[in-house]
Amino acid sequence: MKPTLLLRLWFGLTRMVPGLFDALIRRAHLRQGADPARLGERFGRASVNRPDGQLIWIHAASVGEVISVSALARLIAAQTKAQILITTTTATGAKTAAARLPDALHQFLPIDTPAAVNRFFIHWRPDAALFVEADLWPRLLRRLAAQSVPRALLNARPSKTRKRAPRSMRVLLHDFSLITVQDVTLVQEFIDLGLASTRINAPGNLKADIPPPRVDEALAQQFRAAATRRPIWAAASTHPGEEEIILDAFGAMVRDSLLILVPRHPERGDAIAAELIRRGIVFSRQSAATRPAPETQVHLLDTIGDLGTVYRVADLAVIGGSLLDGIGGHTPYEPAQLGCAVLSGPYVENFRTAYDTLCASGAVITVRNGPELTANISRLLSDQTTLKTMRASALAEQARHVGATGRTFSLLSPLLSPSSPPVPGPDRGAAHD
């Protein structure tokens, strides 16, 4: 298909003034705290050799995408014996890839300029390309099409770009061999672009098909013993400004309870502890090796790896990143896996489909502001019947996605053969520049 005016503008701009984009990507790389020695990867200069044999390229922009595709990547490597190349755009994504996929190669995604893309493809020569959720770059896709590399979009989420620029998105996606979506409600969105329905599938959400988080039963028993007859609730993955909202809600509650407060970034523990002291709250602190006692009001869990335990013992959890605009929310699937009722703010753009689905099932309640948060926490902690119903709904919705990784791999298998043919169709043949 011929590129739209919008795509032609992009191709022209990145070709005529690549230096502008080079400067932007240099600043972004340093701002992320990425290794300066790996800056060349952003311009297509590989930092490691390409191994012989089949190479499958998976692009997962950042942490959430890497986590969601990790199990699938391991399955692909085991079944095909191919080398996996993971690209990310963020330094945190790179760290997550190193931790979860140690046998895969990692590079930063090259900037979408002619020179960078050319270097990347000359070196890596991928046999298949898989894009997770979104982050589709026109010149990279055009080069894949020109070289007849099989490609797939996996676990696609709702996208404002598809709605704002449908013709351009149709051009970019028209010869993808496979598109999988997080929820069946998204299938029509791709059909409306003019894509063949036979290429679009809803095998379940990869983000939901993950092992449940680890539960430390000894720690869970300590929490229960400290709570005595009090209900336990949690505020998980909170960000600056959200702790104040949470603690305001805690202070306004009439009923006595034990709050487990889990900041998204544990290194903020000192600042949160200072706020608890300022408010005169009796608290214990995980990083200081103190555990909650019957008189403890708040337990500050400023360590990593214990969220599973929190979700196991809590009657309900407020998921952070959602109470203030600009963060985009955090996954509701981990608490759902352990049957924990969830309260969320309205700002969950990164997980919109998940929250909409869980809200519709009755597992999640969305609150718009602090007073609504206070009212709903107070109401739910006094209503075990409703909490029991929410927990059951969470487990039922989570079960719907179990096996999504295996089903996605079955759909992908025909594409991953070294001799996979390009997708047939009258609209193929886009050239690259």
Side-chain angles (χ1 to χ4, degrees):
M1 296 181 69
K2 292 182 178 180
T4 62
L5 174 61
L6 182 63
L7 292 174
R8 290 199 300 272
L9 288 171
W10 174 258
F11 291 137
L13 188 62
T14 52
R15 184 175 58 251
M16 290 186 294
V17 287
L20 171 63
F21 298 92
D22 291 356
L24 291 173
I25 203 67
R26 288 177 191 276
R27 285 199 293 269
H29 187 82
L30 297 175
R31 187 173 61 248
Q32 292 176 14
D35 183 355
R38 298 185 62 184
L39 176 61
E41 296 173 18
R42 306 276 193 179
F43 303 105
R45 298 184 180 94
S47 58
V48 294
N49 292 328
R50 185 200 191 281
D52 294 332
Q54 186 183 15
L55 183 137
I56 297 173
W57 170 29
I58 301 176
H59 176 56
S62 194
V63 175
E65 291 83 0
V66 173
I67 292 173
S68 69
V69 82
S70 292
L72 178 62
R74 290 191 292 268
L75 182 58
I76 290 172
Q79 294 296 321
T80 66
K81 309 304 179 185
Q83 176 64 58
I84 302 296
L85 169 67
I86 295 281
T87 58
T88 66
T89 57
T90 68
T92 52
K95 292 177 182 178
T96 305
R100 291 181 174 257
L101 296 167
D103 295 328
L105 300 175
H106 175 270
Q107 297 282 278
F108 287 109
L109 185 75
I111 190 171
D112 205 44
T113 59
V117 169
N118 195 47
R119 292 187 196 104
F120 181 85
F121 276 91
I122 287 174
H123 182 85
W124 291 109
R125 308 185 310 281
D127 295 289
L130 313 178
F131 296 84
V132 184
E133 294 194 16
D135 207 36
L136 305 173
W137 291 92
R139 185 170 274 104
L140 282 168
L141 296 183
R142 206 177 191 193
R143 185 64 174 263
L144 288 166
Q147 297 184 192
S148 298
V149 177
R151 50 212 171 279
L153 174 61
L154 304 180
N155 216 44
R157 61 174 185 252
S159 167
K160 293 180 181 179
T161 304
R162 287 196 296 271
K163 295 179 180 179
R164 292 171 178 170
R167 292 181 59 246
S168 294
M169 291 306 299
R170 178 174 184 262
V171 171
L172 295 179
L173 293 168
H174 76 279
D175 54 0
F176 268 57
S177 307
L178 172 70
I179 296 172
T180 70
V181 295
Q182 293 184 3
D183 191 86
V184 69
T185 58
L186 294 173
V187 170
Q188 190 60 45
E189 186 175 316
F190 286 90
I191 294 175
D192 289 344
L193 292 178
L195 305 179
S197 60
T198 52
R199 302 185 200 172
I200 307 163
N201 294 267
N205 192 335
L206 293 178
K207 281 185 171 176
D209 188 28
I210 55 178
R214 180 185 67 89
V215 175
D216 182 336
E217 291 296 346
L219 180 60
Q221 186 54 43
Q222 289 178 0
F223 289 149
R224 294 189 184 104
T228 58
R229 297 181 180 276
R230 296 178 295 165
I232 301 174
W233 62 287
S237 297
T238 57
H239 290 257
E242 291 188 314
E243 288 90 10
E244 287 79 1
I245 298 172
I246 295 293
L247 294 175
D248 285 346
F250 179 80
M253 292 170 56
V254 174
R255 183 170 184 181
D256 192 17
S257 64
L258 172 63
L259 166 61
I260 304 176
L261 181 55
V262 190
R264 180 70 172 179
H265 303 290
E267 62 270 20
R268 295 183 51 245
D270 287 346
I272 298 170
E275 178 64 15
L276 292 168
I277 293 171
R278 188 186 71 80
R279 290 175 180 250
I281 293 174
V282 179
F283 72 98
S284 51
R285 185 175 177 183
Q286 191 83 5
S287 66
T290 58
R291 296 296 179 264
E295 65 275 12
T296 302
Q297 297 173 290
V298 174
H299 180 66
L300 175 56
L301 203 157
D302 54 344
T303 56
I304 292 176
D306 290 312
L307 263 180
T309 306
V310 173
Y311 294 141
R312 174 61 59 85
V313 302
D315 291 289
L316 65 90
V318 181
I319 306 302
S322 67
L323 300 174
L324 297 173
D325 196 6
I327 301 167
H330 296 298
T331 178
Y333 287 121
E334 288 186 346
Q337 282 178 315
L338 294 171
C340 185
V342 168
L343 289 177
S344 169
Y347 305 108
V348 291
E349 291 76 16
N350 294 341
F351 296 89
R352 176 61 63 190
T353 299
Y355 277 96
D356 286 349
T357 303
L358 286 164
C359 282
S361 74
V364 171
I365 293 175
T366 300
V367 298
R368 294 172 296 179
N369 50 47
E372 284 192 9
L373 178 68
T374 303
N376 276 278
I377 294 172
S378 298
R379 176 177 63 85
L380 290 172
L381 292 184
S382 299
D383 186 355
Q384 286 297 315
T385 300
T386 299
L387 281 176
K388 184 177 180 180
T389 300
M390 291 179 70
R391 288 194 289 265
S393 297
L395 289 170
E397 174 59 29
Q398 184 67 27
R400 192 166 67 86
H401 299 282
V402 172
T405 299
R407 292 190 292 270
T408 300
F409 177 76
S410 295
L411 292 167
L412 274 174
S413 290
L415 280 66
L416 303 181
S417 168
S419 58
S420 293
V423 176
D427 53 0
R428 290 185 52 83
H432 69 84
D433 60 0

